[in-house]
Amino acid sequence: MFETVLIANRGEIALRVLRACKELGMRTAVVYSAADADSAVVRLADQAVRIGPASSRRSYLNAAAIVEAARQVGAQAVHPGYGFLSEDADFAEICADNGLTFIGPPPAVMAALADKSSARALMSRAGLPLSPGSVAPVPTAAAAAEVAEAVGYPVIVKAAAGGGGRGMTVVHTPGELRRAYTRTRAAAQAAFGDDRVYVERYLTEARHVEVQVLCDAHGNGVHLGTRDCSVQRRHQKLVEEAPAPSLPAAVLDTIAETALRGALQVGFVGAGTLEFLVDAEEKFHFLEINCRIQVEHPVTEMVTGIDLVHEQLHIAAGVPLRWRQEEIRLHGVAVECRVNTEDPERGFAPTPGRLERFTPPGGPFTRVDTHASAGYLVGPWYDSLLAKVIVWAPDRELALNRLERALDEFDVAGPGVHTTIPFVRRVLDDAAFRKGRYTTGLVDRLLAAPARGPTSTPAPRTAPAADPDATHRRTR
């Protein structure tokens, strides 16, 4: 195993990785920007290196500064978390060139899979079903129109280098396509430095189901079941659960087994997630593979009892996979909601500000992954994820009730700060969601309906005087 691991990230995921490293007896080092100088992970790490100002490009996306920090602290490995450089094959190669183990797939594998068009081609050759559309990038608007005409509208134009819900445009009619194609290419160039796009059929009433896999460098692999991530706004997830509800066990097993087969055939190594769309006929279509730990990984941990970050570290150190498929058992149901500092009534616009109150929930089978605390400044520079609330229960109904109870307890407030907690409540109250028969159209449907209350987190409820034990009461 490694003696020292450098954590090249921030926020809740940096804290999550730090804790895993400490539990395995490793020394921890973190990089941080000027905006994060007072963060919890900086305080808890064995060493911390300031690498730049608040701007991501000059700090958390500055590969040279991160590698130099790793050399300064004597790290043998770099854990990239999620986002930032976590799926950057060039960064992984730079780490290797400097004698550092990048905790993720080999650079060549990552380069092939991070390109969504390339990943589609690889997975198609591995036998995974794809949504109808182009496999290679489409070079012109006319070529895009030919693909759209062949598969039928609506279609979605996607950036080949995209990720995190960015670089995608849904097109409903032929008249919209040329403008959408041009706009998506420009957005892709600005966001990813790569303007290539491809076109596929857009499934309007589909489930977003993903599979967690673990693969080592010795050809071994296991899947850890499914997650449902259909509750999304602008392709960004809000609520996730494991296992995916209301689909036949045979369908879920087939999706999971197909995902693992695809990962092994393309030489994947590490903890990864293969994402699929499941249509109304329960046919599934490969979307993409994420070569990193996912924001929603805790729900899989809760139903399997397997620490995914521990497994990442073992695999990166060359240890053969410690699990066989027959040893993987799913127990109960876990649900996670992301608590973002955003205002759903203003298109989920970020609402930065200082937190005057921050008391996360507790109680049995309730986990909160967060980097925040009272007095914490939610700045405008980074992702708006503030916390993740994860609950487990033996059955789905109790898990949903437990999440509602946990959100009742979550006390967070500050001037100008809004959170997604009230919107998550609307999701939890929705009849289709409660039945487990919801699709990716759920959030749009709820937004089209009138809201029942304010989107700012309510002030704590006052307990009746006769009940001194009564309690009171937001990432992406």
Side-chain angles (χ1 to χ4, degrees):
M1 295 295 281
F2 309 110
E3 181 181 335
T4 302
V5 174
L6 181 84
I7 302 163
N9 215 297
R10 64 173 303 278
E12 67 87 14
I13 190 58
L15 202 53
R16 169 74 182 88
V17 174
L18 178 141
R19 288 168 171 155
C21 290
K22 285 183 174 289
E23 289 164 2
L24 294 179
M26 302 175 192
R27 288 179 53 80
T28 57
V30 298
V31 293
Y32 67 94
S33 72
D36 288 329
D38 297 326
S39 64
V41 73
V42 169
R43 184 177 73 253
L44 294 173
D46 296 304
Q47 294 174 274
V49 181
R50 177 169 167 169
I51 55 169
S55 165
S56 295
R57 290 193 176 279
R58 298 173 63 189
S59 54
Y60 299 108
L61 292 172
N62 187 338
I66 292 170
V67 169
E68 178 56 31
R71 295 174 65 178
Q72 286 179 26
V73 301
Q76 295 82 45
V78 176
H79 196 302
Y82 55 69
F84 294 129
L85 296 172
S86 63
E87 293 183 284
D88 190 312
D90 291 338
F91 178 61
E93 189 168 1
I94 291 169
C95 287
D97 290 345
N98 284 271
L100 297 165
T101 298
F102 177 86
I103 298 176
V109 174
M110 183 180 294
L113 296 177
D115 183 300
K116 309 305 181 188
S117 181
S118 169
R120 279 170 61 84
L122 287 170
M123 291 300 175
S124 178
R125 288 198 290 272
L128 274 68
L130 305 181
S131 297
S134 61
V135 175
V138 288
T140 64
E146 290 180 7
V147 174
E149 185 67 26
V151 304
Y153 287 87
V155 297
I156 184 166
V157 183
K158 291 185 175 182
R166 297 178 298 166
M168 294 187 258
T169 306
V170 177
V171 183
H172 294 277
T173 66
E176 304 170 19
L177 183 61
R178 179 175 293 276
R179 181 180 178 187
Y181 175 86
T182 302
R183 186 170 65 244
T184 306
R185 286 192 65 172
Q189 180 64 42
F192 313 114
D194 184 340
D195 70 350
R196 293 173 305 130
V197 299
Y198 62 97
V199 178
E200 65 183 25
R201 171 80 178 176
Y202 181 68
L203 302 177
T204 54
E205 290 296 325
R207 301 272 296 275
H208 189 132
V209 175
E210 62 188 29
V211 178
Q212 178 72 58
V213 298
L214 293 172
C215 303
D216 66 19
H218 308 282
N220 305 305
V222 295
H223 70 75
L224 279 68
T226 59
R227 298 187 288 252
D228 193 302
C229 305
S230 301
V231 183
Q232 305 175 9
R233 88 287 190 275
R234 298 196 305 271
H235 309 290
Q236 295 280 322
K237 302 162 188 172
L238 288 172
V239 178
E240 304 99 342
E241 59 180 299
S246 301
L247 286 171
V251 172
L252 296 180
D253 289 344
T254 301
I255 295 173
E257 292 162 5
T258 301
L260 178 59
R261 184 178 73 245
L264 289 172
Q265 287 195 26
V266 301
F268 185 83
V269 176
T273 299
L274 288 86
E275 305 196 0
F276 299 86
L277 285 180
V278 182
D279 63 25
E281 285 77 41
E282 297 178 352
K283 295 178 181 178
F284 59 96
H285 312 267
F286 171 77
L287 274 179
E288 64 183 23
I289 179 170
N290 293 297
C291 302
R292 52 171 169 79
I293 197 77
Q294 293 278 90
V295 177
E296 60 271 20
H297 76 272
V299 292
T300 296
E301 294 182 326
M302 298 283 267
V303 297
T304 62
I306 296 174
D307 188 310
L308 294 178
V309 182
H310 282 192
E311 298 307 316
Q312 280 190 299
L313 293 163
H314 284 293
I315 291 169
V319 177
L321 196 61
R322 304 187 301 159
W323 300 90
R324 293 175 299 178
Q325 191 62 58
E326 58 267 27
E327 297 173 322
I328 305 300
R329 294 286 185 268
L330 306 184
H331 302 281
V333 174
V335 187
E336 170 184 296
C337 75
R338 307 189 189 191
V339 178
N340 303 332
T341 49
E342 298 172 348
D343 185 355
E345 293 302 303
R346 294 192 297 119
F348 291 93
T351 59
R354 190 171 297 279
L355 302 181
E356 293 182 341
R357 300 197 312 270
F358 187 84
T359 305
F365 305 106
T366 302
R367 166 178 168 179
V368 180
D369 286 9
T370 184
H371 55 291
S373 59
Y376 176 74
L377 177 62
V378 180
W381 310 284
Y382 311 116
D383 184 277
S384 58
L385 179 62
L386 188 69
K388 303 182 311 199
V389 181
I390 311 102
V391 299
W392 178 92
D395 59 74
R396 188 170 184 268
E397 184 64 23
L398 181 54
L400 296 180
N401 291 344
R402 182 162 282 154
L403 182 56
E404 288 182 314
R405 185 271 303 161
L407 294 180
D408 276 347
E409 295 180 15
F410 209 144
D411 179 20
V412 52
V417 175
H418 293 247
T419 77
T420 50
I421 286 177
F423 189 81
V424 170
R425 289 181 168 285
R426 295 182 63 190
V427 171
L428 297 177
D429 285 344
D430 182 77
F433 180 82
R434 297 298 292 207
K435 294 175 183 177
R437 300 189 179 279
Y438 57 100
T439 70
T440 53
L442 173 62
V443 168
D444 286 342
R445 176 167 60 78
L446 290 178
L447 289 174
R452 293 174 302 174
T455 59
S456 55
T457 305
R461 296 195 288 264
T462 302
D467 185 6
D469 294 324
T471 57
H472 61 266
R473 73 167 228 114
R474 151 190 151 67
T475 94
R476 2 173 330 112

